[in-house]
Amino acid sequence: MTITDLIAGALNGSQRAAGRLLSLVEGERRDEVLASIGPSTIRVIGITGPPGAGKSTTIGALVGAYRERGCRVAVLAVDPSSPFSGGALLGDRIRMTAHINDSDVLIRSVATRGHVGGLAAAVPAAIRLLGAIGYDVVLLETVGVGQSEIEIAAVADPTVVILNPGAGDAVQAAKAGVLEVADIVAVNKADREGAEQTVRDLRAETKAPIVSLVAARGDGVADLVAAIDDHHRTDSRARRLARARLSVRTQPDLDTLAEAVVDGHDDPYTAAERLLSPESEPQS
């Protein structure tokens, strides 16, 4: 099938076509796919936090909440790459299998392939593609390790940091700088001892809203969704431009390129390529 055929199929609800397009975006035909789609915008909710915090479980609960609203939902789970195949190691997404048979939920593991920062290099292009083929929300789960995890702030809004009580997560997150990009903090497994103390510790470290939940039971998920909605209501074009600037870094044509990213005409990689092209260099 041609890329045009695949796009038509994906718009008609074919997950196979959508998956094939995502594979092309991850490979050498990224530019060809992006040239075949128009501008697109989509809500991107980033989920990050240390391993074992319950990110996938929380995402599974959020998928259910957004499906109840009638939204088409895509999950991009950025996983460590296999040193042998280059593929994602956690591709089965066991905790999200409740939605596996829902044709309006696409779950995709994306391998980092050595990319520093917790996000795979193809993620911004994949997000643009998903918006163009009719998805309403992207839930973006990152690897959740290392100070460079703050890269998620460039493409997601809000960024939700998932932490656990009684494990020193709050202190470690503060040291790693992850709390600096947290728009919302969720203390998962809040039925455990030490949850209230963790919330108090977090309030001393961040001004972001803090939500307590037990994602495995669905407790507090409505509060998390409400916090996400509140954040979206207070979002502004200026804040979106700031995120786009972070995506394309400081360059002479930054404002113009940031606006193109915000308005869905370009993804950060296309914008960066324009900066690097000979035509974009100033005349001597």
Side-chain angles (χ1 to χ4, degrees), residues 190-215:
D191 54 342
R192 290 185 175 179
E193 184 178 354
E196 294 182 359
Q197 182 61 50
T198 299
V199 170
R200 287 193 290 269
D201 292 342
L202 285 166
R203 288 203 175 109
E205 298 288 348
T206 180
K207 295 181 180 179
I210 301 171
V211 178
S212 297
L213 72 154
V214 184

Side-chain angles (χ1 to χ4, degrees), residues 103-275:
S103 61
D104 286 318
V105 177
L106 186 151
I107 300 172
R108 177 82 174 191
S109 288
V110 184
T112 58
R113 292 183 169 87
H115 180 68
V116 177
L119 295 183
V123 164
I127 289 170
R128 182 180 164 201
L129 169 66
L130 289 165
I133 60 177
Y135 285 88
D136 302 300
V137 178
V138 170
L139 298 171
L140 176 62
E141 178 188 358
T142 69
V143 175
V145 290
Q147 186 171 350
S148 55
E149 193 66 6
I150 60 175
E151 184 180 301
I152 191 175
V155 294
D157 191 59
T159 297
V160 181
V161 175
I162 310 290
L163 301 172
N164 287 166
D169 283 354
V171 174
Q172 291 303 316
K175 288 181 177 179
V178 176
L179 285 181
E180 294 178 8
V181 299
D183 297 304
I184 300 166
V185 178
V187 178
N188 189 30
K189 307 176 185 178
D191 54 342
R192 290 185 175 179
E193 184 178 354
E196 294 182 359
Q197 182 61 50
T198 299
V199 170
R200 287 193 290 269
D201 292 342
L202 285 166
R203 288 203 175 109
E205 298 288 348
T206 180
K207 295 181 180 179
I210 301 171
V211 178
S212 297
L213 72 154
V214 184
R217 297 203 306 249
D219 296 347
V221 174
D223 294 334
L224 178 56
V225 172
I228 293 170
D229 288 343
D230 287 343
H231 182 85
H232 277 291
R233 280 192 288 269
T234 59
D235 198 14
S236 66
R237 180 175 175 81
R239 286 171 55 181
R240 292 193 298 274
L241 283 171
R243 292 193 298 275
R245 288 189 184 99
L246 183 59
S247 299
V248 297
R249 310 302 180 192
T250 303
Q251 296 290 343
D253 298 326
L254 178 61
D255 287 338
T256 300
L257 291 166
E259 289 185 3
V261 173
V262 165
D263 294 335
H265 296 288
D266 279 336
D267 63 276
Y269 293 102
T270 302
E273 287 170 3
R274 288 189 181 185
L275 287 172

Side-chain angles (χ1 to χ4, degrees), residues 15 68 94 176 215 248:
Q15 287 204 352
E68 288 180 1
I94 294 171
V248 297

